[in-house]
Amino acid sequence: MLPRKLNKKKIINDPVYGFIKIPGDLFFDILEHPFLQRLRRIRQLGLACLVYPGAIHTRFQHVLGATHLMGQAIEVIRSKGHVITEKEAEAAMIAILLHDIGHGPFSHTLEHCIIENISHEELSQIFMNRLNTAFHGKLSVAIKIFNNTYHKKFLHQLVSSQLDMDRLDYLNRDSFFTGVSEGVVSSDRIIKMLQVVNDKLVVESKGIYSIEKFLIARRLMYWQVYLHKTSIAADQMLIKILKRAKELALSGTELFCTPAFHYFLYKKVSLIDFSDINNPALDNFAQLDDDDVMAAIKVWTAHPDFVLSYLCICLINRKLFHIELQKQPFDNAKIEVITEKVKKHYHLNKTNLGYLVISGYASNSAYYAADEKINIVHNNGSLTDIAETSDMFNMAVIAKTEMKYFLCYPKEIIL
């Protein structure tokens, strides 16, 4: 009897776009790989669910949505007379599918905590190389598009630029799951306005208002969701928990954790370790997700180290730190007063105070004028930057990097 052939022509029901088709057998096989399935266990917005209870969607949902938009963009660009072969289309869709595969637990929140000085983009590249070996070189073009070494540069812009399928999806998706309607953008309209001029992705002039709305939505989503003050407080507490755990682990203290989590708590891992095929670093990272971290934090609530247990108890029970935000750095005298109160209240020594009094800054820029620009193509064929073309009175504000300084400390501390 011949083995039954697996049906790989699947349809996924997405809450944002409706039905999404799996575009091919290779795509299906990559999607089924454990490296990709791990993204089901990594939340898109880290701890934003402590502010917006619906924000429990995952990186897996996001990469599927971005791939769906990539398929739409390719069809639009083809319809305007530009040649994109089936191999290039498949590669572009695989590149966007894998663009976030290097994210670790809680996405951006712990990016440089579990593993220092290694970005998720670098890890995505290593994961893609490993998958390319597993799939006998079938991802080579996708990797070139991801790295921007493929000769059709506009394909990379669809994956990573100031107007890419990644941003179009996460704005709509994050808006949907948080309920923050200001983030909704007309991705259909924007995609239909895409054009390619001199191998550059541009937007037709009649789509300028949709781009303006996109930039405004991006700015609003930063302050209302991504950099919401309560999310900042929660994120900083999680970062401090990991920092304390690593400090204890490297000093020889025994901590409960899963094997994959143990590997990174008790070792200092470099980019070279991930690139070495004989090193277990990548395989351990591929087993690491939000569940590993949260399981450990639940157990650490009873750890004898006061700082670790206190932070874990507060996070698990959503007893988040008080946070203040302002446009200028906080006065050192104020920080010292709070630090002294914390020291007396919790009977801490000086070296541990930084875990409970946390200061720093968060920044937001919807449009980076110095980066690769969003260009508008006019009827006469000329190109202009959106910042120069837009007649919005606040375009200068949209393009400006705004910075807010924060100060977090336990709510028990009364000033």
Side-chain angles (χ1 to χ4, degrees):
M1 180 182 292
L2 293 174
R4 187 178 61 152
K5 186 176 181 181
L6 180 64
N7 176 21
K8 299 181 180 181
K9 298 184 183 299
K10 302 293 185 181
I11 296 176
I12 297 171
N13 195 351
D14 180 76
V16 178
Y17 308 117
F19 291 113
I20 294 176
K21 292 182 179 180
I22 302 298
D25 287 4
L26 177 59
F27 189 93
F28 177 87
D29 291 337
I30 295 170
L31 200 61
E32 289 288 286
H33 195 281
F35 287 176
L36 242 295
Q37 291 297 312
R38 182 182 71 95
L39 297 186
R40 290 182 184 272
R41 304 185 300 276
I42 295 178
R43 289 181 185 174
Q44 172 83 357
L45 294 182
L47 292 173
C49 60
L50 296 179
V51 181
Y52 301 101
I56 56 175
H57 55 303
T58 66
R59 287 277 155 186
F60 185 82
Q61 292 166 287
H62 163 57
V63 297
L64 278 178
T67 304
H68 171 69
L69 296 183
M70 176 67 81
Q72 291 185 334
I74 287 169
E75 289 308 309
V76 166
I77 293 170
R78 278 173 167 171
S79 72
K80 296 178 181 179
H82 302 283
V83 176
I84 301 176
T85 67
E86 286 302 317
K87 184 177 181 179
E88 290 168 339
E90 179 183 68
M93 296 181 76
I94 290 172
I96 195 73
L97 176 70
L98 298 177
H99 81 281
D100 272 349
I101 197 173
H103 266 298
F106 295 97
S107 295
H108 291 284
T109 303
L110 296 181
E111 178 143 345
H112 295 290
C113 297
I114 295 176
I115 306 165
E116 296 178 6
N117 303 318
I118 302 175
S119 69
H120 77 271
E121 290 92 352
E122 290 173 309
L123 288 175
S124 291
Q125 170 74 68
I126 295 169
F127 270 117
M128 290 171 76
N129 290 337
R130 182 73 68 88
L131 285 170
N132 195 33
T133 300
F135 286 97
H136 311 292
K138 293 179 181 179
L139 278 63
S140 297
V141 177
I143 292 171
K144 288 181 180 180
I145 291 173
F146 180 81
N147 290 335
N148 199 23
T149 57
Y150 192 67
H151 65 276
K152 292 185 180 179
K153 300 298 184 181
F154 71 88
L155 292 174
H156 172 78
Q157 289 181 280
L158 289 170
V159 175
S160 179
S161 66
Q162 296 208 70
L163 185 63
D164 54 33
M165 301 305 104
D166 173 33
R167 296 185 186 193
L168 284 181
D169 178 78
Y170 76 59
L171 282 176
N172 275 330
R173 190 167 301 276
D174 296 347
S175 175
F176 179 90
F177 282 97
T178 59
V180 177
S181 60
E182 286 84 356
V184 176
V185 295
S186 180
S187 57
D188 284 346
R189 170 72 176 171
I190 291 173
I191 288 172
K192 283 181 172 60
M193 294 299 104
L194 293 179
Q195 179 60 278
V196 175
V197 175
N198 298 327
D199 198 29
K200 291 183 179 179
L201 191 69
V202 301
V203 179
E204 294 172 354
S205 58
K206 55 189 175 182
I208 188 171
Y209 297 118
S210 297
I211 302 302
E212 290 175 345
K213 171 66 167 60
F214 163 78
L215 294 175
I216 292 171
R218 184 167 148 80
R219 186 170 185 83
L220 291 175
M221 283 292 284
Y222 263 94
W223 290 131
Q224 289 190 242
V225 177
Y226 309 131
L227 297 177
H228 187 286
K229 68 174 187 176
T230 307
S231 288
I232 292 174
D235 287 347
Q236 289 300 314
M237 292 173 70
L238 181 58
I239 289 168
K240 292 299 182 181
I241 287 171
L242 264 292
K243 182 179 179 182
R244 183 60 171 178
K246 289 201 78 169
E247 182 181 37
L248 292 172
L250 293 175
S251 69
T253 302
E254 189 60 35
L255 294 171
F256 169 86
C257 47
T258 62
F261 197 14
H262 186 280
Y263 180 88
F264 292 102
L265 279 184
Y266 286 83
K267 287 180 181 290
K268 290 188 176 181
V269 184
S270 70
L271 192 61
I272 295 174
D273 294 323
F274 281 102
S275 301
D276 183 358
I277 191 74
N278 297 313
N279 193 297
L282 190 67
D283 290 325
N284 277 306
F285 191 80
Q287 294 295 319
L288 197 61
D289 54 50
D290 293 10
D291 296 340
D292 295 80
V293 176
M294 288 310 299
I297 289 175
K298 286 167 65 178
V299 175
W300 293 345
T301 58
H303 196 275
D305 180 78
F306 170 77
V307 171
L308 182 64
S309 63
Y310 176 76
L311 286 169
C312 291
I313 289 169
C314 288
L315 190 65
I316 285 291
N317 297 314
R318 202 187 177 278
K319 304 298 182 185
L320 304 179
F321 282 8
H322 174 74
I323 181 169
E324 298 178 27
L325 290 177
Q326 62 185 39
K327 292 186 176 181
Q328 298 80 31
F330 283 86
D331 186 68
N332 286 333
K334 179 175 182 175
I335 296 175
E336 289 175 8
V337 168
I338 295 171
T339 301
E340 188 61 28
K341 286 179 177 287
V342 169
K343 179 181 178 182
K344 291 180 179 179
H345 187 87
Y346 297 102
H347 308 291
L348 292 176
N349 59 45
K350 188 175 181 181
T351 58
N352 291 333
L353 291 171
Y355 288 104
L356 271 62
V357 181
I358 311 166
S359 60
Y361 66 87
S363 62
N364 165 17
S365 181
Y367 184 64
Y368 298 94
D371 288 355
E372 190 175 71
K373 304 179 187 303
I374 297 177
N375 284 313
I376 306 297
V377 58
H378 300 276
N379 293 335
N380 62 3
S382 63
L383 298 178
T384 56
D385 178 14
I386 181 66
E388 300 169 359
T389 310
S390 174
D391 57 3
M392 285 196 305
F393 68 93
N394 61 347
M395 188 62 205
V397 175
I398 295 293
K400 180 183 177 182
T401 298
E402 186 175 348
M403 193 173 291
K404 288 186 180 179
Y405 295 84
F406 60 80
L407 178 61
C408 307
Y409 51 90
K411 288 183 178 177
E412 291 88 350
I413 304 301
I414 300 173
L415 298 183

